[in-house]
Amino acid sequence: TLTLAGSACDMVSAAYASTKQSHPYIQSMCDAAEKGVKSMSHMSGATTSCVQPLLTSLEPHVAAASEYASKGLGKLGEKLPLLQKPVDQIISDTKELVSARVADAKDVVSS
């Protein structure tokens, strides 16, 4: 629910896609890496049956950690409203602030 994190992920994803599209050598490396990750994510039945008991025993701990992290991020979002804004809005606001400060400094120097 943190807009800043979501928009940052969107920007990184768009940059990744654009880079892959613009540079054939990078695209072939990225495609190979993606293929490797996808093949690892499709475990065989034997591997799944071996790993499943471990995953089942870890599930309550992962759920508790997830809930704790979610509460922490919620509190962080309340204390830092900046996290609720998208990246492009933060950049725009920062540019406006810097421009205003520079204009104020010019006025002081001029007078």
Side-chain angles (χ1 to χ4, degrees), residues 42-53:
H42 299 294
M43 291 187 224
S44 70
T47 306
T48 303
S49 64
C50 292
V51 174
Q52 191 59 47

Side-chain angles (χ1 to χ4, degrees), residues 48-90:
T48 303
S49 64
C50 292
V51 174
Q52 191 59 47
L54 176 63
L55 294 177
T56 303
S57 68
L58 290 176
E59 189 175 353
H61 304 293
V62 171
S66 178
E67 184 179 342
Y68 182 74
S70 179
K71 287 179 182 178
L73 287 173
K75 288 181 182 180
L76 187 62
E78 290 172 12
K79 293 183 186 273
L80 296 171
L82 179 73
L83 296 175
Q84 302 299 333
K85 295 182 179 182
V87 172
D88 54 351
Q89 184 179 355
I90 293 170

